[in-house]
Amino acid sequence: MKEALQNIQRTADELIAKATDAAAVDELRVRFLGKKGELTAILKQMGKLSAEERPVIGALANEVREAITADITRRTKELEDAALQARLAGEEIDVTLPGSMPAVGKRHPFEQVLNELKEIFLGMGFDIVAGPEVELDHYNFEMLNMPKSHPARDTQDTFYFTENVLLRTQTSPMQIRTMEKQQPPIRIICPGRVYRSDAVDATHSPIFHQCEGLVVDKGITFSDLKGTLELFIKKLYGEDTRVRFRPHHFPYTEPSAEMDMSCFKCGGKGCSMCKGEGWIEILGCGMVHPKVLENCGIDPEVYSGFAFGVGLERIAMMRYGIDDMRLLYENDLRFLNQF
């Protein structure tokens, strides 16, 4: 039995020294030290030994176990160190190589147009105001000369939370809030997100953006409105752009108008973009209704003003020749990287 233990140790030493990976070392551990291992099988025969031989063979068996365990530990450490050195050599960084530039983002085409619009109106002396998107019916409709019975409410397709709380359908409520807090002169634009219950298609979305403007002061006339908007359009689309005004109706302005611009694609000759008319509708506008001024505590006998509202998606689509509004919101980098 003594010779068998010595043979086990000798064989284990040789095999463990030749093991090339951690899995092989673990297989040898099970072979020699496991519950069904070779050393365990020898120890199960201890009952056959005499009382004088048992202590001697037991001590030798422990020595063999400790020696094999030490070999396994040592070889495992050697293999781990070798793997680490190989990994470090493989992952070595040459600091003299040129670095890889990270991808740099850019402004969304919608954001580009919005910033340009802000710069134009800031240059004309306007202030920028913002307000809540969850609005009161009082500010969104009633103060704008649209009581609950007004038919214009039926065309708004409004998202209501309660009878008096809703998602704003326009940024006009900020005009009202500004006039309540501030006496003329007032010169503001109100860009922001608005909501209407529209089906999603190439030109409609339940969520879109508007920029409305308001000027209130003594002696403001329709000529001021016309000059301001014409300057705005020329700054945005070029000095050769022409505008025209068509009579319209809005409850909060009187007189009211729709403003068209000459088609930027064909120059007014007629094409698919303008449906052969040479003109493209761009925004609605008008002189602030006296009733709206009265609602805000401003004397319409002393002050007058004008207001306008333009869809920002519409401006972006026309500016960049985009024919489907949904492209602005799909976050497809193949599309966005073109701008």
Side-chain angles (χ1 to χ4, degrees):
M1 188 173 288
K2 178 178 180 181
E3 184 177 350
L5 289 172
Q6 291 173 341
N7 288 336
I8 289 174
Q9 181 176 350
R10 186 165 49 250
T11 303
D13 289 345
E14 294 175 357
L15 294 176
I16 291 172
K18 294 177 181 179
T20 57
D21 55 46
V25 173
D26 192 60
E27 288 180 5
L28 292 172
R29 179 190 62 78
V30 174
R31 172 180 169 178
F32 292 108
L33 304 180
K35 292 182 179 180
K36 298 180 180 181
E38 295 181 17
L39 182 60
T40 304
I42 294 295
L43 294 176
K44 287 181 179 179
Q45 301 178 26
M46 293 280 287
K48 300 178 181 180
L49 300 175
S50 64
E52 293 80 9
E53 292 178 317
R54 287 176 189 171
V56 176
I57 298 302
L60 180 59
N62 287 334
E63 291 176 4
V64 171
R65 179 184 295 278
E66 291 174 0
I68 294 175
T69 300
D71 287 344
I72 290 173
T73 301
R74 181 177 63 256
R75 186 57 180 160
T76 300
K77 181 68 167 58
E78 290 173 353
L79 292 171
E80 288 177 348
D81 290 344
L84 177 60
Q85 292 302 318
R87 181 180 175 187
L88 291 175
E91 296 180 356
E92 185 177 359
I93 299 174
D94 185 350
V95 295
T96 65
L97 291 174
S100 299
M101 292 297 294
V104 179
K106 60 179 70 174
R107 291 192 181 277
H108 191 280
F110 173 79
E111 195 72 19
Q112 295 178 34
V113 169
L114 176 58
N115 287 340
E116 188 171 352
L117 181 146
K118 289 179 179 179
E119 289 298 320
I120 291 172
F121 282 105
L122 286 171
M124 289 192 282
F126 282 71
D127 294 323
I128 300 173
V129 299
E133 296 177 14
V134 177
E135 189 55 272
L136 297 174
D137 180 277
H138 174 75
Y139 287 107
N140 196 82
F141 289 126
E142 293 189 17
M143 292 288 282
L144 289 163
N145 202 30
M146 286 185 284
K148 294 187 183 298
S149 59
H150 200 287
R153 291 199 181 204
D154 297 335
T155 64
Q156 296 283 335
D157 295 326
T158 309
F159 290 105
Y160 280 94
F161 292 103
T162 68
E163 184 178 354
N164 296 311
V165 179
L166 49 88
L167 289 173
R168 66 182 182 186
T169 61
Q170 58 226 353
T171 58
S172 304
M174 280 312 301
Q175 298 183 24
I176 301 299
R177 291 176 179 273
T178 301
M179 286 190 286
E180 282 186 337
K181 297 177 182 178
Q182 175 183 337
Q183 283 294 304
I186 297 171
R187 190 178 300 167
I188 60 169
I189 58 170
C190 320
R193 190 181 296 113
V194 297
Y195 305 84
R196 295 185 188 180
S197 183
D198 289 331
V200 177
D201 59 28
T203 56
H204 295 85
S205 170
I207 303 174
F208 58 103
H209 297 75
Q210 278 190 342
C211 180
E212 300 197 9
L214 172 70
V215 173
V216 180
D217 204 349
K218 294 179 179 178
I220 299 296
T221 67
F222 201 94
S223 296
D224 298 308
L225 164 64
K226 190 173 180 181
T228 300
L229 294 181
E230 185 171 1
L231 176 60
F232 161 60
I233 292 298
K234 287 181 179 293
K235 288 283 188 181
L236 200 60
Y237 292 102
E239 291 296 325
D240 295 333
T241 308
R242 294 172 290 118
V243 299
R244 72 177 184 183
F245 292 81
R246 294 177 288 106
H248 197 70
H249 170 73
F250 299 111
Y252 31 82
T253 54
E254 181 61 37
S256 304
E258 292 276 8
M259 189 181 84
D260 302 331
M261 57 174 279
S262 56
C263 179
F264 58 88
K265 186 174 182 180
C266 66
K269 297 178 182 179
C271 66
S272 58
M273 177 69 72
C274 60
K275 299 179 180 179
E277 297 182 359
W279 296 93
I280 298 176
E281 179 183 321
I282 187 69
L283 57 82
C285 59
M287 301 300 293
V288 180
H289 198 292
K291 179 65 175 177
V292 174
L293 294 176
E294 287 181 0
N295 289 342
C296 298
I298 296 175
D299 188 350
E301 297 296 328
V302 178
Y303 296 101
S304 58
F306 66 77
F308 59 88
V310 59
L312 296 179
E313 282 84 357
R314 186 176 184 83
I315 289 181
M317 291 170 68
M318 293 171 61
R319 182 67 180 278
Y320 296 116
I322 301 170
D323 59 3
D324 193 325
M325 183 189 296
R326 290 169 290 192
L327 292 171
L328 293 170
Y329 296 107
E330 291 176 347
N331 296 325
D332 189 332
L333 292 179
R334 295 171 299 176
F335 168 76
L336 296 177
N337 284 335
Q338 299 177 58
F339 305 96

